[in-house]
Amino acid sequence: MVRGFVMVNVLIVGGAGFIGSHLVRDCLSRGDKVTVLTRASTDIWRIEDILDRLTLVRLNLTDTEALMTALRHQPPQRVFLLGAVTRFATANNDLADVAEAMRVNLDPLRAILEALGRMDVPPQSVVRTGTLAELSSDPGIARSATREWPETTYGLSILAGTHYLRIWRDRCGIPAVTARLSLTYGGGQSPDFLVPGAIRQGLAGTPMMPRQPDARRDLIHVDDVIEALQLVADNADRLPPVVNVSTGRPIRTGDLAARIARLTGHKPPPEPAKTGAGNRVSAPPSKELRALGWRPRVSLQQGLRQVIAWERARKTDNRHPERRSA
């Protein structure tokens, strides 16, 4: 037992990714026994320094029998499903990316849930990360009854998984919750994403301004996400199938870029023509999660300063090697 937490066997699918690696470290700090499942091709640079403290299993995440073997080796009491692909190389105009998104994001979920459902002793809770990209960014649609309205193939594939897990939960009786995350940021994130990309450009002396400065995004620090995921796992049997892990306070991307420019020592670049005013990705945090005491605790200013410090350390020493990000 560490810091009052009871040690449990934890399975983290996608534990080598950005959010997953933070969750792995948090579980280890609690004294948990952690197994990380990854695709064979996944770069594990984020957890290389702690491999001696966990069990790493590389396998085909759609191979149910291989998954069953891994589960029997160390039956998990708590399962976190975090592995997802957010970008696809296929073209949008022929819908090939839709098929690819379903293949890489839904097929592994189906196989993992099948394996979990076949266990002699099922897990006590299953927590899966979703995304606010499952919802509409159009304010008119967002205010209507049809809130679930993904506009990208990524959002569509994650929404399909959300409903798949809901039905699986009903039929298997295993407490399972999808935690829909707002745009999560923090140290160790790929520069392909908004916050680390803008910070790297600022540190390089070329502050950026997004093409749609009037677009609004709900940002949340990874530490607040990890706290929420642990709380959801503790209370999965008391929660609905889906909860929002968000702030409900979106920021203009132009204002975000200007703030990052100033924090990295630069004058904000001029904004392009006002665009993106109707592009708003946000949702209030679920009342059920707030009732359990969860609140975002890391302010945007604190979070941005933390990522800037992480990026500066990455440039000046070897603690944060530059690798391909998963």
Side-chain angles (χ1 to χ4, degrees):
M1 179 179 292
V2 176
R3 296 203 323 267
F5 295 103
V6 176
M7 184 196 76
V8 297
N9 289 341
V10 176
L11 173 69
I12 304 177
V13 180
F18 162 53
I19 297 175
S21 61
H22 283 266
L23 180 61
V24 167
R25 293 174 188 277
D26 188 69
C27 289
L28 290 174
S29 74
R30 293 170 174 242
D32 295 334
K33 294 183 65 176
V34 177
T35 298
V36 172
L37 292 190
T38 71
R39 294 178 171 90
S41 60
T42 297
D43 191 332
I44 61 170
W45 68 270
R46 292 183 178 92
I47 57 172
E48 278 182 333
D49 62 320
I50 53 173
L51 289 179
D52 60 336
R53 300 172 59 194
L54 54 84
T55 300
L56 177 68
V57 180
R58 293 179 177 272
L59 44 68
N60 179 352
L61 294 179
T62 61
D63 186 337
T64 302
E65 294 307 318
L67 289 165
M68 287 298 303
T69 299
L71 294 175
R72 292 189 190 101
H73 178 69
Q74 188 166 294
Q77 297 161 283
R78 181 172 291 192
V79 178
F80 294 95
L81 306 177
L82 283 77
V85 177
T86 61
R87 292 178 173 85
F88 309 95
T90 50
N92 284 302
N93 59 357
D94 61 1
L95 296 181
D97 58 330
V98 176
E100 178 66 5
M102 292 296 183
R103 183 184 70 80
V104 299
N105 285 336
L106 191 58
D107 288 355
L109 176 65
R110 176 200 56 76
I112 292 165
L113 293 180
E114 180 182 344
L116 291 174
R118 289 167 53 185
M119 293 182 61
D120 293 334
V121 179
Q124 297 168 4
S125 63
V126 176
V127 180
R128 168 183 172 268
T129 52
T131 171
L132 293 190
E134 299 171 52
L135 310 179
S136 174
S137 65
D138 184 300
I141 294 176
R143 285 192 294 267
S144 72
T146 312
R147 185 68 169 101
E148 292 180 342
W149 196 276
E151 297 164 3
T152 65
T153 52
Y154 161 64
L156 174 62
S157 66
I158 301 302
L159 178 59
T162 295
H163 288 298
Y164 193 100
L165 183 66
R166 173 180 57 81
I167 294 171
W168 180 85
R169 161 179 160 152
D170 289 343
R171 296 185 179 179
C172 293
I174 298 173
V177 178
T178 291
R180 277 187 179 146
L181 309 182
S182 56
L183 189 59
T184 306
Y185 71 99
Q189 189 175 26
S190 165
D192 293 339
F193 290 88
L194 177 60
V195 170
I199 286 175
R200 288 201 185 186
Q201 286 194 225
L203 293 176
T206 56
M208 62 88 74
M209 180 59 62
R211 291 189 299 272
Q212 295 188 357
D214 284 334
R216 292 178 178 270
R217 292 293 180 268
D218 193 325
L219 296 175
I220 190 166
H221 191 270
V222 66
D223 288 352
D224 286 327
V225 167
I226 299 307
E227 181 184 352
L229 294 179
Q230 296 284 19
L231 192 62
V232 171
D234 288 338
N235 298 276
D237 58 341
R238 301 165 52 194
L239 291 170
V242 183
V243 295
N244 293 336
V245 179
S246 55
T247 70
R249 301 186 300 274
I251 184 174
R252 284 181 72 250
T253 57
D255 294 341
L256 173 67
R259 182 178 296 196
I260 290 173
R262 287 190 289 269
L263 286 172
T264 55
H266 302 285
K267 180 180 178 180
E271 292 188 3
K274 303 295 184 182
T275 57
N279 188 334
R280 184 180 189 275
V281 179
S282 181
S286 293
K287 64 180 185 301
E288 295 88 354
L289 200 55
R290 293 177 62 86
L292 293 173
W294 181 84
R295 302 286 190 281
R297 305 185 192 281
V298 181
S299 71
L300 181 59
Q301 192 80 352
Q302 290 173 320
L304 293 178
R305 289 186 182 279
Q306 184 188 91
V307 180
I308 289 169
W310 192 96
E311 290 291 346
R312 283 179 169 147
R314 179 191 62 81
K315 291 178 65 177
T316 57
D317 61 36
N318 294 321
R319 287 180 298 164
H320 312 296
E322 187 68 23
R323 304 285 184 88
R324 175 178 59 82
S325 297

